Amino acid sequence: MSNILVVGGGIIGLLTARELARTGASVTLVEMGETGRESSWAGGGIISPLYPWHHPASVNALAGWSQRVYPDLSAELLQETGTDPEHIRSGLLVLDPDEQGAGLSWGREQHIRTETLEAAALRDQEPDLSPKSASALLLPDVAQVRSPRLTKALRQSIEHRVAIREQEEVIELQLEKGRVTGVQTRRGNIGADQVVVCTGAWTARLLERLGGKLDIHPVRGQMILFHAKPGQVHHIALFRERYVIPRRDGHILVGSTLEHTGFAKVTTAEAKEELYRSAVELFPLLKRTPIEDHWAGLRPGSPSGVPYIGPYPQLEGLYINAGHFRNGLATGPASARLVVDLLLDRP
């Protein structure tokens, strides 16, 4: 019997379990595969919504809170585990000409640092950027983390404080007299006083027997990784919804597609070619750079990208923290704090 059971071991589940464990609660985390190996592992790790002025205020509020705590969180995880999440303030270059005015206005309204770079200043900042890019909007404070390293560090951080059960799929919630009492897995039952569902794209499937319909569905994203050298690309670059992310060791990540293909987590040659064309259009040097990897992940799509965070209606003890779409990493720390505040009745 666990006081609190977290279902799902992606970035949201790991952060939620860590937040709960820090309160002294007895916590069990159940994951159908390996922790951090689904959407969290596949994601780019940009700690900001793409084109944040397109997003609802609620998403930007979660992202803003998370942006403020990520430096300390990353430093704590490195000290606790020896694994560096590689929090780097790369800055974000928005290269779409028709987005720059809206971005500047949003920055002024929200007191977010933004500046316009004309051609000469842009070349100084990114010498290998395509000459076709005549100007950019720079958000200098946007940072990134390396998603697989972050989830690895989070697992290491909680493994002595949380009972972790991997390769164990939850197939049904256990209910009694209007409250949740635990879950049934393929290995047996796990009792709990409270259950937090953090199952990403699989959330609607798990909760469908309760009668209420959560509008969360899988949206496939494919990415490619170039084996480049350190210092060739300096900023995260964004153009026509495609992004280029330079890692500390020189690897360059390019993403991402948006595909409504159900739970088919497979890569396609068409997407690989499309991402390659987008990458070399922005940075022609990548034509001479080998592609090292190509993968797919399933994001938890939800209306307007606003996640479900809070108690499940008419059912005591059940909470949801899911449906973050493209912003699970960008909003994860705030989402975890918020659901735990609600669960423990904290301000």
Side-chain angles (χ1 to χ4, degrees), residues 310-333:
Y312 191 89
Q314 286 87 48
L315 198 57
E316 194 175 343
L318 180 61
Y319 292 79
I320 312 297
N321 192 4
H324 295 74
F325 195 23
R326 306 182 82 174
N327 295 309
L329 281 148
T331 64

Side-chain angles (χ1 to χ4, degrees), residues 129-298:
L129 186 66
S130 167
K132 295 178 184 177
S133 300
S135 65
L137 177 69
L138 173 63
L139 283 70
D141 295 326
V142 170
Q144 59 160 297
V145 288
R146 198 157 184 167
S147 315
R149 296 181 67 87
L150 175 63
T151 54
K152 178 183 177 183
L154 284 167
R155 190 197 191 286
Q156 291 171 325
S157 168
I158 67 171
E159 59 190 8
H160 301 301
R161 297 180 280 174
V162 171
I164 299 175
R165 299 172 64 148
E166 294 180 302
Q167 308 294 342
E168 188 167 1
E169 183 179 0
V170 172
I171 54 177
E172 195 168 12
L173 296 165
Q174 295 182 312
L175 310 174
E176 188 176 311
K177 297 178 181 177
R179 71 166 293 115
V180 67
T181 58
V183 300
Q184 178 186 353
T185 78
R186 298 197 184 279
R187 294 190 204 165
N189 296 337
I190 307 172
D193 295 327
Q194 293 164 306
V195 175
V196 188
V197 175
C198 307
T199 44
W202 287 262
T203 300
R205 179 187 284 185
L206 176 61
L207 299 178
E208 63 186 355
R209 293 191 181 97
L210 300 181
K213 181 167 174 56
L214 269 69
D215 192 357
I216 299 177
H217 54 278
V219 181
R220 185 171 71 193
Q222 298 187 53
M223 314 192 61
I224 58 175
L225 184 71
F226 286 89
H227 186 77
K229 298 175 183 176
Q232 290 184 297
V233 177
H234 305 280
H235 299 76
I236 302 163
L238 176 62
F239 182 60
R240 295 179 187 160
E241 299 282 345
R242 296 282 187 264
Y243 50 78
V244 176
I245 307 173
R247 298 302 200 202
R248 181 178 290 163
D249 62 6
H251 283 93
I252 293 174
L253 186 64
V254 179
S256 172
T257 60
L258 289 169
E259 303 169 79
H260 296 271
T261 53
F263 286 92
K265 195 180 76 173
V266 295
T267 58
T268 64
E270 294 82 4
K272 185 178 182 180
E273 177 60 27
E274 182 185 339
L275 292 169
Y276 176 80
R277 285 199 306 269
S278 296
V280 300
E281 181 182 358
L282 285 181
F283 291 94
L285 65 90
L286 293 175
K287 290 179 182 177
R288 305 183 299 276
T289 307
I291 294 176
E292 182 174 304
D293 207 353
H294 173 207
W295 64 83
L298 300 176

Side-chain angles (χ1 to χ4, degrees), residues 56 78 132 302 306 316:
L78 175 58
K132 295 178 184 177
S302 57
V306 178
E316 194 175 343

